[in-house]
Amino acid sequence: MDWKRIFLSELDGHFVFEIAFRTVFMFIVVLVILRLSGKRGVRQLSIFELAIILTLGSAAGDAMFYKDVALLATVLVCITAISVYRLITWLMTKSSRFEKLLEGHPVYIIEDSVMVIKEGRKDSLSKDEFFAELREKGVEHLGQVRAAILETEGNLSVFFYADEDVKYGLPILPHAYNKYSDTITEAGLYACIICGTLNRLTPGHHQCKRCQHDEWVSAINTKRVG
Ligand SMILES: [Zn+2]
């Protein structure tokens, strides 16, 4: 291994200062450009916004440590990227078809306390990830949830039943959820652990009529408190 080349390459004392200058300069350029984007924060990014951020980041990053990248060329890349961003966001306000094409559209994940099942669905929020998000919003079981919608920015909107309307549902707190089994030993009301469909089951082995899965857990109907 040529450690000197790996760690230093062409780095010399003079270039160290140039890197520092380039970095500060590009940092300021990116900051100004992001302010010009009109976005107030970037907690959630749509795919389209992420593409713009990656373009900016890549251009700015190269300019920080490649000797032969002209700073003004990079500034030009940033200005072009943000102009395209502003143009496209403007076009999206004019055409909702164009907006759907670029940003996708909101998708129902839960409707009436059960998971919405669609064949070949591309939105890939896994069940674990999704239950974790519901727990963060204080959901204990799906019977509390009237609807959950995956928004285009990737965040989850949750609509609850009023306490008096809470139904039985699939528990999603780990201790309760992990008691699932494919063999029912005691008759009772159970929820399918994949789609949340309720079924009154007798001892034995049962398949969910809705999603064909065969593991169940006792349904609960606790109210939301606070
Ligand atoms: Zn099911």
Side-chain angles (χ1 to χ4, degrees):
M1 291 288 240
D2 182 354
W3 295 112
K4 185 165 180 290
R5 182 185 57 75
I6 292 174
F7 278 96
L8 292 176
S9 187
E10 293 171 38
L11 194 66
D12 54 37
H14 170 75
F15 193 46
V16 165
F17 287 105
E18 185 176 329
I19 287 179
F21 171 76
R22 282 169 170 268
T23 303
V24 170
F25 181 85
M26 286 319 302
F27 177 74
I28 294 168
V29 170
V30 170
L31 210 59
V32 169
I33 292 286
L34 286 180
R35 287 290 291 151
L36 289 176
S37 77
K39 259 191 94 72
R40 299 181 56 83
V42 289
R43 201 175 68 87
Q44 298 286 356
L45 291 177
S46 67
I47 299 294
F48 156 63
E49 287 166 343
L50 184 64
I52 293 286
I53 300 283
L54 288 176
T55 308
L56 287 176
S58 163
D62 287 354
M64 287 174 187
F65 56 84
Y66 285 130
K67 271 181 181 161
D68 51 356
V69 174
L71 289 186
L72 285 183
T74 311
V75 171
L76 203 61
V77 171
C78 292
I79 291 174
T80 308
I82 209 66
S83 304
V84 169
Y85 174 81
R86 303 281 332 216
L87 176 70
I88 289 179
T89 38
W90 179 78
L91 285 173
M92 285 196 296
T93 63
K94 299 287 159 196
S95 157
S96 61
R97 267 188 67 185
F98 186 64
E99 185 177 5
K100 275 183 188 149
L101 189 71
L102 278 177
E103 304 257 48
H105 48 86
V107 177
Y108 273 88
I109 301 285
I110 293 185
E111 231 180 332
D112 299 329
S113 302
V114 291
M115 308 284 290
V116 174
I117 304 171
K118 262 189 214 148
E119 291 306 320
R121 192 158 73 185
K122 274 189 282 165
D123 41 291
S124 55
L125 196 67
S126 81
K127 187 164 59 67
D128 289 349
E129 205 179 326
F130 170 69
F131 286 169
E133 279 215 53
L134 285 174
R135 286 194 295 270
E136 279 170 27
K137 293 182 194 280
V139 175
E140 189 180 353
H141 63 91
L142 300 192
Q144 298 171 337
V145 179
R146 183 157 61 85
I149 296 172
L150 184 58
E151 307 290 358
T152 52
E153 276 99 14
N155 46 328
L156 193 69
S157 304
V158 179
F159 299 87
F160 296 102
Y161 281 115
D163 269 355
E164 60 270 25
D165 297 328
V166 166
K167 309 174 183 178
Y168 275 87
L170 171 67
I172 58 171
L173 301 196
H175 281 165
Y177 181 87
N178 289 331
K179 288 192 180 123
Y180 65 81
S181 165
D182 63 354
T183 313
I184 306 296
T185 53
E186 209 176 304
L189 188 60
Y190 289 85
C192 165
I193 64 162
I194 298 297
C195 72
T197 299
L198 296 179
N199 244 319
R200 208 161 273 290
L201 300 178
T202 51
H205 186 92
H206 302 273
Q207 203 176 40
C208 172
K209 289 192 180 68
R210 192 153 165 265
C211 73
Q212 276 74 53
H213 197 77
D214 61 355
E215 287 170 304
W216 304 85
V217 68
S218 279
I220 58 172
N221 70 340
T222 49
K223 312 265 183 259
R224 297 185 71 236
V225 179

